[in-house]
Amino acid sequence: MSYKLFIPGPVAVSEKTLRAMAQPMIGHRSADFIALYEAMQPTLQALCYTQDPVYLATSSAWGVMEGALRNLVAKKVLCCMNGAFSDKWLDVATRLGKQAGALRFEWGQPVDPAALRAELAKGGYDAVTLIHNETSTGTMSDLPAIMAVLREFPDVFSIVDTVSSFSVLPIKKDELGIDVLLTGTQKALALPPGLALVSVSRRALDRAATVPDRGYYFDFVEFHKNHEKGMTPSTPVIPLIYALKSKLDEINAEGAEARYARHARLNATVRQWGAARGFKLFPEERYGSLALNCFANTREIDLPALNKILKTEHHLVIDGGYGKLKGKTFRISNMGDETDESIAALTRALDATLDKLSA
Ligand SMILES: Cc1ncc(COP(=O)(O)O)c(C=O)c1O
């Protein structure tokens, strides 16, 4: 059965993107690959608001997330934790044998810049991990305010996960002083999973060169050396790179600003729909994500039953809550290629399903 995903990643992939992937293979050391790689850099850099290169890594986002820790943490990393994905950083850092501290917030709360300042002021840290948009709770932290704090601690490298916010709103890497900005392709870029993007500041690259045991596959120094030749360190997932090129062309045609405005408009539409149906947003309104809405299941709807009807009768799927929020929240994505029409079709289907459940 085919159905359309409205979960917050992976999101629905268009026919056009799928077709872009189905092209004949090229060698990853060929002039054709170099031309493809180099043609994408200006748009990738524009989307990251950076002069630094944007490396392409064949992995899901966790590959470069783990890589960032291996490349930058020599003393101790501070992990800002306010949901399932940000909580996981601490676990991953510990598994890598890194010293790691936890700065915890309730799920649904954003990262508090003042608390971050107080913790960093204690000293001993050389890196911070942070998720801009915590997808598990639909909570967006105030990145400019957090980065203003991090700029007060120039010896601390910032590792910022923009997995579910990249291309949803402007994230000004250079202006904010972000050292490592990373994302995956299965969220707002609406590509299949398997490719990660990472942009690394010059000072972070210099730092990486001094950190031992940073491995090979995600070594930023290797990425940079190959980038200078228009290549990746190892054989990349070329079909996804074709898809990325196609998507970047689409973004250029739509215009980044128009894309941000579309995401904001569709996000507001879904939020209004939820409010009108008696569902409270899980985070405080002002910290609500622009990429998705995470609603508290205030009406205690049977979410598996809802999704079953939605899937079988309307060929649509939403998310029934992540981790410890399963059943207690539900999440609806407005990332990628969604339009006013596709969101209207979703809310109509949700209304019909809610009516059926309460009949
Ligand atoms: C904010 C955030 N960070 C990291 C990840 C992990 O990404 P991946 O599964 O691509 O490794 C996710 C996945 O949903 C995410 O939402």
Side-chain angles (χ1 to χ4, degrees):
M1 188 200 347
S2 97
Y3 49 87
K4 180 171 174 182
L5 292 178
F6 279 92
I7 64 172
V11 306
V13 178
S14 70
E15 285 295 325
K16 184 176 177 203
T17 298
L18 291 174
R19 274 199 307 276
M21 293 176 68
Q23 296 180 62
M25 232 7 73
I26 51 175
H28 66 294
R29 303 290 179 221
S30 68
D32 289 332
F33 183 84
I34 295 170
L36 175 65
Y37 183 98
E38 291 183 342
M40 289 189 294
Q41 281 297 314
T43 306
L44 289 173
Q45 287 174 305
L47 287 172
C48 292
Y49 297 81
T50 189
Q51 300 290 320
D52 296 317
V54 182
Y55 310 131
L56 308 183
T58 293
S59 71
S60 80
W62 267 114
V64 286
M65 290 160 81
E66 178 167 321
L69 293 171
R70 299 196 74 174
N71 277 268
L72 292 180
V73 181
K75 285 196 289 185
K76 186 173 180 184
V77 60
L78 178 62
C79 301
C80 300
M81 299 160 68
N82 64 335
F85 297 105
S86 48
D87 286 5
K88 184 96 182 155
W89 278 102
L90 184 72
D91 178 28
V92 172
T94 309
R95 290 189 202 202
L96 288 171
K98 303 286 183 189
Q99 292 291 312
L103 185 62
R104 293 178 207 274
F105 305 94
E106 287 293 310
W107 281 31
Q109 291 294 320
V111 171
D112 173 14
L116 178 61
R117 179 185 291 109
E119 185 58 29
L120 288 178
K122 294 179 186 167
Y125 295 106
D126 56 2
V128 163
T129 63
L130 163 77
I131 290 189
H132 180 203
N133 186 58
E134 186 33 271
T135 324
S136 61
T137 62
T139 305
M140 213 164 218
S141 288
D142 182 347
L143 193 55
I146 293 168
M147 288 309 303
V149 168
L150 278 162
R151 290 195 300 275
E152 294 169 21
F153 300 89
D155 296 340
V156 177
F157 288 84
S158 50
I159 302 169
V160 182
D161 167 334
T162 66
V163 170
S164 57
S165 52
F166 183 75
S167 82
V168 172
L169 70 167
I171 300 168
K172 302 196 170 173
K173 173 172 167 283
D174 289 359
E175 192 181 306
L176 295 177
I178 297 172
D179 288 300
V180 176
L181 183 147
L182 59 91
T183 190
T185 49
Q186 75 275 24
K187 308 273 186 188
L189 290 172
L191 306 184
L195 184 64
L197 312 177
V198 58
S199 182
V200 179
S201 69
R202 184 68 240 182
R203 72 178 203 126
L205 203 58
D206 292 343
R207 158 60 162 233
T210 70
V211 177
D213 300 332
R214 58 184 190 276
Y216 168 71
Y217 195 70
F218 293 109
D219 178 0
F220 290 163
V221 179
E222 283 294 334
F223 272 98
H224 192 74
K225 261 196 320 211
N226 280 276
H227 166 82
E228 290 190 317
K229 297 183 280 184
M231 296 179 196
T232 54
S234 49
T235 318
V237 62
I238 292 170
L240 279 176
I241 294 178
Y242 286 142
L244 181 61
K245 174 69 169 69
S246 161
K247 182 55 68 184
L248 295 178
D249 290 345
E250 264 176 47
I251 292 176
N252 282 332
E254 180 179 11
E257 294 297 331
R259 196 172 180 87
Y260 303 147
R262 173 167 61 80
H263 288 312
R265 188 175 71 246
L266 301 182
N267 182 266
T269 303
V270 175
R271 198 171 295 186
Q272 279 153 18
W273 169 86
R277 302 299 178 279
F279 295 110
K280 194 174 167 311
L281 204 64
F282 182 71
E284 245 180 82
E285 281 281 330
R286 65 194 162 129
Y287 299 116
S289 167
L290 289 173
L292 67 141
N293 281 285
C294 179
F295 293 106
N297 187 8
T298 23
R299 284 172 54 184
E300 299 191 353
I301 302 292
D302 180 344
L303 293 173
L306 176 134
N307 241 342
K308 192 168 174 200
I309 299 173
L310 208 55
K311 185 173 170 184
T312 50
E313 297 185 10
H314 303 277
H315 312 293
L316 305 173
V317 171
I318 64 165
D319 171 84
Y322 193 94
K324 67 183 184 190
L325 296 178
K326 200 173 180 66
K328 298 188 176 126
T329 59
F330 62 96
R331 301 179 301 161
I332 300 175
S333 164
N334 53 269
M335 291 183 263
D337 302 329
E338 298 314 328
T339 60
D340 294 288
E341 294 71 30
S342 71
I343 292 290
L346 172 70
T347 54
R348 272 197 309 274
L350 280 166
D351 281 339
T353 306
L354 287 171
D355 285 350
K356 190 160 184 174
L357 280 174
S358 56

